[in-house]
Amino acid sequence: REAAIERLLMGLRTSEGVELQDLAPLAIDETRFEEVRGLAERREGRLVATADGRRVLDALIARVAS
């Protein structure tokens, strides 16, 4: 879980995002994806922060990792 959170912290700060498979220990479900709609999106097996998401990145990461 801690390694997945670290990958999330680092990955969402990049334009490439983070591989969804790396986030498996966080057990992110469809409800969580709906909660971050507009702030992050799934692209080609990755979770990528949108421009709006980058502005509130700390809150986005907390929401995904909770």
Coordinates of all heavy atoms in Angstrom, one line a residue:
R1 N 0.8 -1.2 0.0 CA 0.0 0.0 0.0 C 0.9 1.3 0.0 O 0.6 2.2 -0.7 CB -0.9 0.0 1.2 CG -1.8 1.2 1.3 CD -3.0 1.0 2.2 NE -3.7 2.2 2.4 CZ -4.5 2.8 1.6 NH1 -4.8 2.3 0.5 NH2 -5.1 3.9 2.0
E2 N 1.9 1.3 0.8 CA 2.7 2.5 0.9 C 3.5 2.7 -0.4 O 3.6 3.9 -0.9 CB 3.8 2.3 2.0 CG 3.1 2.5 3.4 CD 4.1 2.3 4.5 OE1 5.3 2.8 4.3 OE2 3.8 1.8 5.6
A3 N 3.9 1.6 -1.1 CA 4.6 1.8 -2.4 C 3.6 2.3 -3.4 O 4.0 3.2 -4.3 CB 5.2 0.5 -2.8
A4 N 2.3 1.9 -3.4 CA 1.3 2.4 -4.3 C 1.1 3.8 -4.1 O 0.9 4.6 -5.1 CB 0.1 1.5 -4.2
I5 N 1.0 4.3 -2.9 CA 0.8 5.7 -2.6 C 2.0 6.5 -3.1 O 1.8 7.6 -3.6 CB 0.5 5.9 -1.1 CG1 -0.8 5.3 -0.7 CG2 0.6 7.4 -0.7 CD1 -1.1 5.3 0.8
E6 N 3.2 6.0 -2.9 CA 4.3 6.7 -3.4 C 4.3 6.8 -4.9 O 4.6 7.9 -5.5 CB 5.6 6.0 -2.9 CG 6.9 6.7 -3.3 CD 7.1 8.0 -2.6 OE1 6.6 8.2 -1.5 OE2 7.7 8.9 -3.2
R7 N 3.9 5.8 -5.6 CA 3.8 5.8 -7.1 C 2.7 6.8 -7.5 O 2.9 7.6 -8.4 CB 3.5 4.4 -7.6 CG 4.6 3.5 -7.6 CD 4.3 2.2 -8.3 NE 5.3 1.3 -8.2 CZ 5.3 0.3 -7.3 NH1 4.3 0.1 -6.5 NH2 6.3 -0.6 -7.2
L8 N 1.6 6.9 -6.7 CA 0.6 7.8 -7.0 C 1.1 9.3 -6.8 O 0.9 10.1 -7.7 CB -0.6 7.6 -6.0 CG -1.8 8.5 -6.2 CD1 -2.5 8.2 -7.5 CD2 -2.8 8.2 -5.0
L9 N 1.8 9.5 -5.7 CA 2.3 10.8 -5.4 C 3.3 11.3 -6.5 O 3.2 12.5 -7.0 CB 3.1 10.8 -4.1 CG 2.3 10.7 -2.8 CD1 3.2 10.4 -1.6 CD2 1.5 11.9 -2.6
M10 N 4.1 10.4 -7.0 CA 5.1 10.8 -8.0 C 4.5 10.8 -9.4 O 4.7 11.7 -10.2 CB 6.3 9.8 -8.0 CG 7.0 9.8 -6.7 SD 7.7 11.4 -6.2 CE 8.9 11.7 -7.4
G11 N 3.7 9.8 -9.7 CA 3.1 9.7 -11.0 C 2.1 10.8 -11.4 O 2.2 11.2 -12.6
L12 N 1.3 11.2 -10.5 CA 0.3 12.2 -10.9 C 1.0 13.6 -11.1 O 0.4 14.5 -11.7 CB -0.8 12.3 -9.9 CG -1.8 11.2 -9.9 CD1 -2.9 11.4 -8.9 CD2 -2.4 11.0 -11.3
R13 N 2.2 13.7 -10.7 CA 2.9 15.0 -11.0 C 3.5 15.0 -12.3 O 4.1 16.0 -12.7 CB 4.0 15.2 -9.9 CG 3.4 15.5 -8.5 CD 4.5 15.7 -7.5 NE 4.0 16.4 -6.3 CZ 3.1 15.9 -5.4 NH1 2.7 14.7 -5.5 NH2 2.7 16.6 -4.4
T14 N 3.5 13.9 -13.1 CA 4.0 13.9 -14.4 C 2.9 13.8 -15.5 O 1.8 13.5 -15.2 CB 4.9 12.6 -14.6 OG1 4.0 11.4 -14.6 CG2 6.0 12.5 -13.5
S15 N 3.2 14.2 -16.7 CA 2.2 14.1 -17.8 C 1.9 12.7 -18.2 O 0.8 12.5 -18.7 CB 2.7 14.9 -19.0 OG 4.0 14.3 -19.5
E16 N 2.7 11.7 -17.8 CA 2.5 10.3 -18.1 C 1.5 9.7 -17.1 O 0.9 8.7 -17.4 CB 3.8 9.5 -18.2 CG 4.7 9.9 -19.3 CD 5.6 11.1 -19.0 OE1 5.8 11.3 -17.8 OE2 6.0 11.7 -19.9
G17 N 1.4 10.3 -15.9 CA 0.6 9.7 -14.9 C 1.2 8.4 -14.3 O 2.4 8.3 -14.3
V18 N 0.3 7.6 -13.8 CA 0.8 6.4 -13.1 C 0.0 5.2 -13.6 O -1.2 5.3 -13.9 CB 0.6 6.5 -11.6 CG1 -0.8 6.7 -11.2 CG2 1.2 5.3 -10.8
E19 N 0.6 4.0 -13.8 CA 0.0 2.8 -14.3 C -1.1 2.4 -13.3 O -0.8 2.3 -12.1 CB 1.0 1.7 -14.4 CG 2.1 2.0 -15.4 CD 1.9 1.1 -16.7 OE1 1.0 0.2 -16.7 OE2 2.7 1.3 -17.6
L20 N -2.3 2.1 -13.8 CA -3.4 1.6 -12.9 C -3.0 0.3 -12.2 O -3.4 0.2 -11.0 CB -4.6 1.4 -13.7 CG -5.3 2.7 -14.2 CD1 -6.4 2.4 -15.2 CD2 -5.8 3.5 -13.0
Q21 N -2.3 -0.5 -12.8 CA -1.9 -1.8 -12.1 C -1.0 -1.5 -10.9 O -1.0 -2.3 -10.0 CB -1.2 -2.7 -13.1 CG 0.1 -2.3 -13.6 CD 0.7 -3.2 -14.7 OE1 0.0 -4.1 -15.2 NE2 2.0 -3.0 -15.0
D22 N -0.2 -0.4 -10.9 CA 0.6 -0.1 -9.8 C -0.2 0.4 -8.6 O 0.3 0.5 -7.5 CB 1.6 1.0 -10.2 CG 2.7 0.5 -11.1 OD1 2.9 -0.7 -11.2 OD2 3.3 1.4 -11.7
L23 N -1.5 0.7 -8.9 CA -2.4 1.2 -7.8 C -3.3 0.2 -7.3 O -4.1 0.4 -6.4 CB -3.2 2.4 -8.4 CG -2.4 3.6 -8.9 CD1 -3.4 4.7 -9.4 CD2 -1.5 4.2 -7.9
A24 N -3.1 -1.1 -7.7 CA -4.0 -2.2 -7.3 C -4.1 -2.3 -5.8 O -5.2 -2.5 -5.2 CB -3.5 -3.5 -7.9
P25 N -3.0 -2.1 -5.0 CA -3.1 -2.2 -3.5 C -4.1 -1.2 -2.9 O -4.5 -1.3 -1.8 CB -1.7 -2.0 -3.0 CG -0.8 -2.4 -4.2 CD -1.6 -2.0 -5.4
L26 N -4.4 -0.1 -3.7 CA -5.3 0.9 -3.1 C -6.8 0.6 -3.4 O -7.6 1.3 -2.9 CB -5.0 2.3 -3.8 CG -3.6 2.8 -3.6 CD1 -3.4 4.1 -4.3 CD2 -3.2 2.9 -2.1
A27 N -7.0 -0.5 -4.1 CA -8.4 -1.0 -4.4 C -9.3 0.1 -4.9 O -10.4 0.4 -4.3 CB -8.9 -1.7 -3.2
I28 N -8.9 0.9 -5.9 CA -9.6 2.0 -6.5 C -10.8 1.4 -7.3 O -10.6 0.6 -8.2 CB -8.8 2.9 -7.3 CG1 -7.6 3.5 -6.5 CG2 -9.6 4.0 -8.0 CD1 -6.6 4.2 -7.3
D29 N -12.0 1.7 -6.9 CA -13.2 1.2 -7.7 C -13.8 2.3 -8.5 O -13.3 3.5 -8.5 CB -14.2 0.6 -6.7 CG -14.7 1.6 -5.7 OD1 -14.4 2.8 -5.8 OD2 -15.4 1.2 -4.8
E30 N -14.9 2.0 -9.2 CA -15.5 2.9 -10.1 C -16.0 4.1 -9.4 O -16.0 5.2 -9.9 CB -16.7 2.2 -10.9 CG -16.2 1.3 -12.0 CD -15.3 2.0 -13.0 OE1 -15.7 3.1 -13.5 OE2 -14.2 1.5 -13.4
T31 N -16.5 3.9 -8.1 CA -17.0 5.1 -7.3 C -15.9 6.1 -7.1 O -16.1 7.3 -7.3 CB -17.5 4.6 -6.0 OG1 -18.5 3.6 -6.2 CG2 -18.0 5.7 -5.2
R32 N -14.7 5.6 -6.8 CA -13.5 6.5 -6.6 C -13.2 7.3 -7.9 O -12.9 8.4 -7.9 CB -12.3 5.7 -6.1 CG -11.1 6.5 -5.7 CD -11.3 7.2 -4.4 NE -11.8 6.5 -3.3 CZ -11.1 5.7 -2.5 NH1 -9.9 5.5 -2.6 NH2 -11.8 5.0 -1.6
F33 N -13.2 6.5 -9.1 CA -13.0 7.2 -10.3 C -14.0 8.3 -10.6 O -13.7 9.4 -11.1 CB -12.9 6.2 -11.5 CG -11.7 5.4 -11.6 CD1 -11.7 4.0 -11.5 CD2 -10.5 6.0 -11.7 CE1 -10.6 3.3 -11.5 CE2 -9.3 5.3 -11.8 CZ -9.3 3.9 -11.7
E34 N -15.3 8.1 -10.2 CA -16.3 9.1 -10.4 C -16.0 10.3 -9.5 O -16.3 11.4 -9.9 CB -17.7 8.5 -10.1 CG -18.2 7.6 -11.2 CD -18.4 8.3 -12.5 OE1 -18.9 9.4 -12.6 OE2 -17.9 7.8 -13.6
E35 N -15.5 10.1 -8.3 CA -15.2 11.1 -7.4 C -14.2 12.1 -7.9 O -14.2 13.3 -7.6 CB -14.7 10.6 -6.0 CG -15.8 9.9 -5.2 CD -15.3 9.3 -4.0 OE1 -14.1 9.4 -3.7 OE2 -16.1 8.7 -3.3
V36 N -13.2 11.6 -8.7 CA -12.2 12.4 -9.3 C -12.4 12.8 -10.7 O -11.5 13.4 -11.3 CB -10.8 11.8 -9.1 CG1 -10.5 11.5 -7.6 CG2 -10.7 10.5 -9.9
R37 N -13.6 12.6 -11.2 CA -13.9 12.9 -12.6 C -13.6 14.4 -12.8 O -14.0 15.3 -12.0 CB -15.3 12.6 -13.0 CG -15.7 13.1 -14.4 CD -17.1 12.7 -14.7 NE -17.0 11.5 -15.4 CZ -18.0 10.8 -15.7 NH1 -19.2 11.2 -15.4 NH2 -17.9 9.7 -16.4
G38 N -12.9 14.8 -13.9 CA -12.6 16.1 -14.2 C -11.2 16.5 -13.6 O -10.6 17.5 -14.0
L39 N -10.7 15.8 -12.6 CA -9.4 16.0 -12.0 C -8.4 15.0 -12.4 O -7.2 15.3 -12.5 CB -9.5 16.0 -10.5 CG -10.5 17.0 -9.8 CD1 -10.6 16.8 -8.3 CD2 -10.1 18.4 -10.2
A40 N -8.9 13.8 -12.8 CA -8.0 12.8 -13.3 C -8.8 11.9 -14.2 O -10.0 11.9 -14.2 CB -7.5 11.9 -12.1
E41 N -8.1 11.3 -15.2 CA -8.7 10.5 -16.1 C -7.9 9.2 -16.4 O -6.7 9.2 -16.2 CB -9.0 11.2 -17.4 CG -7.8 11.8 -18.1 CD -8.1 12.7 -19.3 OE1 -9.2 13.3 -19.3 OE2 -7.2 12.9 -20.1
R42 N -8.6 8.2 -16.9 CA -7.9 7.0 -17.3 C -7.5 7.1 -18.7 O -8.4 7.4 -19.5 CB -8.8 5.8 -17.0 CG -8.9 5.4 -15.6 CD -9.8 4.3 -15.4 NE -11.2 4.7 -15.5 CZ -12.2 4.0 -15.2 NH1 -12.1 2.7 -14.9 NH2 -13.5 4.5 -15.3
R43 N -6.3 6.9 -19.0 CA -5.8 6.9 -20.4 C -4.8 5.8 -20.6 O -3.8 5.7 -20.0 CB -5.0 8.2 -20.6 CG -5.7 9.3 -21.3 CD -4.8 10.4 -21.7 NE -5.1 11.6 -20.9 CZ -4.3 12.5 -20.6 NH1 -3.1 12.5 -21.0 NH2 -4.7 13.6 -19.9
E44 N -5.2 4.9 -21.5 CA -4.3 3.8 -21.9 C -3.7 3.1 -20.7 O -2.5 2.8 -20.7 CB -3.2 4.3 -22.8 CG -3.8 4.9 -24.1 CD -2.7 5.6 -25.0 OE1 -1.5 5.3 -24.7 OE2 -3.0 6.3 -25.9
G45 N -4.6 2.7 -19.8 CA -4.1 1.9 -18.6 C -3.4 2.7 -17.6 O -2.7 2.2 -16.7
R46 N -3.5 4.1 -17.6 CA -2.8 4.9 -16.7 C -3.9 5.9 -16.1 O -4.9 6.2 -16.7 CB -1.7 5.7 -17.4 CG -0.7 4.8 -18.1 CD 0.4 5.7 -18.7 NE 1.4 6.1 -17.8 CZ 2.3 5.4 -17.3 NH1 2.5 4.1 -17.6 NH2 3.2 5.9 -16.4
L47 N -3.6 6.4 -14.9 CA -4.3 7.5 -14.3 C -3.5 8.7 -14.4 O -2.3 8.8 -14.0 CB -4.6 7.2 -12.8 CG -5.4 8.2 -12.0 CD1 -6.8 8.2 -12.6 CD2 -5.4 7.9 -10.5
V48 N -4.1 9.7 -15.1 CA -3.4 11.0 -15.4 C -4.2 12.1 -14.9 O -5.4 12.2 -15.0 CB -3.2 11.1 -16.9 CG1 -2.5 12.4 -17.3 CG2 -2.5 9.9 -17.5
A49 N -3.5 13.1 -14.2 CA -4.2 14.3 -13.7 C -4.5 15.2 -14.9 O -3.7 15.4 -15.8 CB -3.3 15.0 -12.7
T50 N -5.7 15.8 -14.8 CA -6.0 16.8 -15.8 C -5.4 18.1 -15.4 O -4.8 18.3 -14.3 CB -7.5 17.0 -15.9 OG1 -8.0 17.4 -14.6 CG2 -8.2 15.7 -16.3
A51 N -5.6 19.1 -16.2 CA -5.0 20.5 -15.9 C -5.7 21.0 -14.6 O -5.0 21.5 -13.7 CB -5.3 21.5 -17.0
D52 N -7.0 20.8 -14.4 CA -7.7 21.2 -13.2 C -7.1 20.3 -12.0 O -7.0 20.9 -10.9 CB -9.2 21.0 -13.3 CG -9.8 22.0 -14.2 OD1 -9.2 23.1 -14.4 OD2 -10.9 21.7 -14.7
G53 N -6.9 19.1 -12.2 CA -6.4 18.2 -11.2 C -5.0 18.6 -10.7 O -4.7 18.5 -9.5
R54 N -4.2 19.1 -11.6 CA -2.8 19.5 -11.2 C -2.9 20.7 -10.3 O -2.0 20.9 -9.5 CB -2.0 19.8 -12.5 CG -1.5 18.6 -13.1 CD -0.4 18.9 -14.2 NE -0.3 17.7 -15.0 CZ -0.8 17.5 -16.2 NH1 -1.5 18.4 -16.7 NH2 -0.6 16.4 -16.8
R55 N -3.9 21.6 -10.4 CA -4.0 22.7 -9.6 C -4.4 22.4 -8.2 O -4.1 23.1 -7.2 CB -5.1 23.7 -10.2 CG -4.6 24.4 -11.3 CD -5.6 25.5 -11.8 NE -5.5 25.4 -13.2 CZ -6.5 25.2 -14.1 NH1 -7.7 24.9 -13.6 NH2 -6.3 25.1 -15.3
V56 N -5.0 21.2 -8.0 CA -5.4 20.8 -6.6 C -4.8 19.4 -6.4 O -5.5 18.5 -5.8 CB -7.0 20.8 -6.5 CG1 -7.5 22.2 -6.5 CG2 -7.6 19.9 -7.5
L57 N -3.6 19.2 -6.8 CA -3.0 17.9 -6.8 C -3.0 17.2 -5.4 O -3.3 16.0 -5.3 CB -1.6 17.9 -7.4 CG -1.0 16.6 -7.8 CD1 -1.9 15.9 -8.8 CD2 0.4 16.9 -8.4
D58 N -2.7 18.0 -4.4 CA -2.6 17.4 -3.0 C -4.0 16.8 -2.6 O -4.1 15.7 -2.1 CB -2.1 18.3 -2.0 CG -0.7 18.7 -2.2 OD1 0.1 17.8 -2.8 OD2 -0.2 19.7 -1.7
A59 N -5.1 17.6 -2.9 CA -6.4 17.1 -2.6 C -6.8 15.9 -3.5 O -7.4 15.0 -3.0 CB -7.4 18.3 -2.8
L60 N -6.4 15.9 -4.7 CA -6.7 14.8 -5.6 C -6.0 13.5 -5.1 O -6.6 12.5 -5.1 CB -6.2 15.2 -7.1 CG -6.2 14.0 -8.1 CD1 -7.6 13.4 -8.3 CD2 -5.6 14.5 -9.4
I61 N -4.8 13.6 -4.8 CA -4.0 12.5 -4.3 C -4.7 11.9 -3.0 O -4.9 10.7 -2.8 CB -2.5 12.8 -4.1 CG1 -1.9 13.0 -5.4 CG2 -1.8 11.7 -3.3 CD1 -0.5 13.6 -5.4
A62 N -5.0 12.8 -2.1 CA -5.7 12.4 -0.9 C -7.0 11.7 -1.2 O -7.3 10.7 -0.5 CB -5.9 13.6 0.0
R63 N -7.7 12.2 -2.1 CA -9.0 11.5 -2.5 C -8.8 10.2 -3.1 O -9.5 9.2 -2.7 CB -9.8 12.4 -3.4 CG -11.2 12.0 -3.6 CD -12.0 13.0 -4.5 NE -12.1 14.3 -3.9 CZ -12.7 15.3 -4.5 NH1 -13.1 15.2 -5.7 NH2 -12.7 16.5 -3.9
V64 N -7.9 10.0 -4.0 CA -7.6 8.7 -4.6 C -7.0 7.7 -3.6 O -7.4 6.6 -3.6 CB -6.6 8.9 -5.8 CG1 -6.2 7.5 -6.3 CG2 -7.3 9.7 -6.9
A65 N -6.1 8.2 -2.7 CA -5.5 7.3 -1.8 C -6.3 6.9 -0.6 O -5.9 6.0 0.1 CB -4.1 7.9 -1.4
S66 N -7.4 7.6 -0.3 CA -8.1 7.3 0.9 C -8.9 6.0 0.8 O -9.2 5.4 -0.2 CB -9.1 8.4 1.2 OG -10.1 8.5 0.2

